[in-house]
Amino acid sequence: MVIGAGVVGAACAYYASLAGLSVAVVDRGPVAGGTTGAGEGNLLVSDKEPGPELDLALLSAGLWRELAGELGEQTEYEPKGGLVVASDEAGLDALRAFAAHQGTAGVESVEIPGARLHELEPHLAPGLAGGFHYPQDAQVQPALAAAHLLRAARVAGAEVYLGEAVTAVRTGPDGAILGVTTDRRRIDTPAVVNAAGTWGGEVAGLAGVPLPVLPRRGFVLVTEPLPRIVRHKVYAADYVADVASGSAALQTSAVVEGTPAGPVLIGASRERVGFDRTLSVEVLRRLAAQAAQLFPVLADVSVQRAYRGFRPYLPDHLPAIGADPRVPGLYHACGHEGAGIGLAPATGLLISRQLTGKQPELDLTPFRADRFAAS
Ligand SMILES: Cc1cc2nc3c(=O)[nH]c(=O)nc-3n(C[C@H](O)[C@H](O)[C@H](O)COP(=O)(O)OP(=O)(O)OC[C@H]3O[C@@H](n4cnc5c(N)ncnc54)[C@H](O)[C@@H]3O)c2cc1C
């Protein structure tokens, strides 16, 4: 059974159901009521350096392409590509080195000289030094993607219980999983998948093991509907450093993207302030100013709304994926921080491989939940 009906839990349920397993999903709220409904839908390889997270992202990029065909147009999947820009030569040199390193791991990118940036993005600010186009970057509507993954899992036989909190994870005398108890029922099962996102540490705690998942807050600005003035996912070179930073302090580096419905999304900030939901005008102002620096045309556009969410952050920025050696039958699929939409299909597939005793496509050692035990 899967705890959590966000995009990660939905992907786990989808692949496990298709593998022929009998699956139940429990969420205390609605589908995508956690961070999945409060983020953007960037499916990025461009912001990741070679390593386990990029391997996951590349596997996922291919799976999202397949899913787009299987789940239908409603997920708003767009293989639009990313464009990372640098304002000066030093920034462009850094991008060049980063892209060359990524190329060794299978990331495709093409350098775009400053004079040609407007062929890709006609409304981009003049005078930028240049950038890199990443054709493997894509976009999806996260809440719709989660809902359609779950719908497909249900068609394959999965049961979904919403508005029902898991209050206990039951284990036997040998420590192995026996099932869970919710505020409405008892589910007996030999396997529990912890896909509780930012609350993954609490669920691990119910099973008696620590997992240090913390919230990392982010705001997103949503403009009024506009014609397609932003064609790719566009961001400045600083974004990569912000994503990789472990600092609790506020970081903003705008990622700008158009949507099929018209509004432009401007995300996102990063800060560790617990679950504080207070609206921060300062953060919104910084995001808006950075977006207008990239696309001056946005300076005169109205913002329709802003929302915030809490990324599930683990101290080394890698998710916890796979069997927990401390509790037989407990599997983790949480802690994906700012990349959970992108990484969901690979996570679901790898979990289903372990559940069915098959060899996973990737080595799961870097994602083991007990890697924090000594700290
Ligand atoms: C501002 C912002 C922008 C983002 N942009 C992107 C982006 O562009 N691309 C990207 O890939 N990622 C992005 N992310 C990150 C992404 O949204 C998350 O990594 C992802 O949504 C995590 O999904 P999840 O399914 O693990 O968690 P969630 O969606 O939070 O799902 C976990 C579920 O578990 C349920 N749950 C918890 N405890 C219990 C319990 N005891 N019993 C029952 N149910 C329980 C919750 O109700 C919740 O529905 C962004 C995040 C933010 C905040």
Side-chain angles (χ1 to χ4, degrees), residues 3-9 26-30 32-43 164-167 195-199 202-203 206 216-220 268-269 307-312 333-343:
I3 304 176
V7 70
V8 176
V26 177
D27 198 298
R28 62 186 173 196
T35 310
T36 297
E40 295 162 276
N42 298 314
L43 314 177
E164 206 164 309
V166 171
T167 52
T198 309
W199 303 273
E202 290 170 24
V203 167
L206 290 179
R216 196 176 185 193
R217 186 172 74 174
F219 283 98
V220 178
S269 56
Y307 59 83
R308 90 282 282 152
F310 298 95
R311 300 178 186 86
C334 62
H336 296 74
E337 204 183 329
I341 315 300
L343 304 180

Side-chain angles (χ1 to χ4, degrees), residues 43-63 65 97-109 134 136-137 235 240 243 316-319 321 336 339 342-344 346-347 350 361-363 366-367:
L43 314 177
L44 301 184
V45 298
S46 57
D47 64 341
K48 296 173 182 63
E49 62 181 352
E53 194 190 16
L54 179 58
D55 295 342
L56 262 188
L58 285 166
L59 176 60
S60 255
L63 293 172
R65 271 194 296 277
F98 192 62
H101 191 206
Q102 290 174 311
T104 62
V107 175
E108 297 162 27
S109 64
Y134 285 86
Q136 290 153 306
D137 282 355
Y235 61 90
V240 176
V243 170
D316 60 1
H317 301 281
L318 287 179
I321 302 175
H336 296 74
L343 304 180
T347 304
L350 294 168
E361 278 74 357
L362 297 177
D363 174 17
F367 307 112

Side-chain angles (χ1 to χ4, degrees), residues 83-366:
L83 181 63
V84 191
V85 296
S87 54
D88 56 23
E89 282 305 322
L92 189 55
D93 280 348
L95 280 184
R96 212 172 271 137
F98 192 62
H101 191 206
Q102 290 174 311
T104 62
V107 175
E108 297 162 27
S109 64
V110 182
E111 181 166 349
I112 312 291
R116 288 196 40 227
L117 283 173
H118 290 87
E119 293 170 21
L120 274 76
E121 288 291 345
H123 295 278
L124 207 51
L128 293 165
F132 274 78
H133 178 234
Y134 285 86
Q136 290 153 306
D137 282 355
Q139 178 175 322
V140 79
Q141 211 286 0
L144 289 174
H148 285 286
L149 281 166
L150 266 187
R151 179 185 51 77
R154 278 175 117 143
V155 170
E159 289 172 26
V160 180
Y161 304 105
L162 300 175
E164 206 164 309
V166 171
T167 52
V169 175
R170 287 178 287 110
T171 51
D174 59 352
I177 292 287
L178 292 178
V180 304
T181 308
T182 78
D183 46 17
R184 286 207 216 143
R185 77 193 77 226
R186 181 186 137 133
I187 300 173
D188 295 328
T189 172
V192 167
V193 178
N194 170 15
T198 309
W199 303 273
E202 290 170 24
V203 167
L206 290 179
V209 284
L211 185 62
V213 188
L214 294 170
R216 196 176 185 193
R217 186 172 74 174
F219 283 98
V220 178
L221 283 175
V222 186
T223 73
E224 60 184 315
L226 300 168
R228 264 294 158 111
I229 56 172
V230 183
R231 298 178 181 175
H232 302 80
K233 334 207 67 64
V234 183
Y235 61 90
D238 316 340
Y239 173 80
V240 176
D242 276 6
V243 170
S245 161
S247 166
L250 171 66
Q251 282 140 352
T252 54
S253 43
V255 178
V256 185
E257 68 199 59
T259 61
V264 170
L265 302 184
I266 302 165
S269 56
R270 287 162 200 274
E271 58 192 322
R272 279 196 282 118
V273 289
F275 284 101
D276 182 356
R277 297 189 62 80
T278 317
L279 190 83
S280 167
V281 175
E282 169 58 16
V283 174
L284 302 185
R285 189 180 287 132
R286 277 167 67 162
L287 284 173
Q290 287 172 346
Q293 244 173 21
L294 283 174
F295 288 94
V297 63
L298 291 177
D300 298 321
V301 161
S302 302
V303 167
Q304 208 173 41
R305 66 193 176 94
Y307 59 83
R308 90 282 282 152
F310 298 95
R311 300 178 186 86
Y313 168 91
L314 277 164
D316 60 1
H317 301 281
L318 287 179
I321 302 175
D324 190 325
R326 301 167 296 184
V327 184
L330 177 65
Y331 296 78
H332 298 285
C334 62
H336 296 74
E337 204 183 329
I341 315 300
L343 304 180
T347 304
L349 181 68
L350 294 168
I351 290 284
S352 87
R353 292 285 193 252
Q354 277 201 329
L355 287 169
T356 52
K358 301 215 169 77
Q359 184 68 29
E361 278 74 357
L362 297 177
D363 174 17
L364 292 179
T365 312

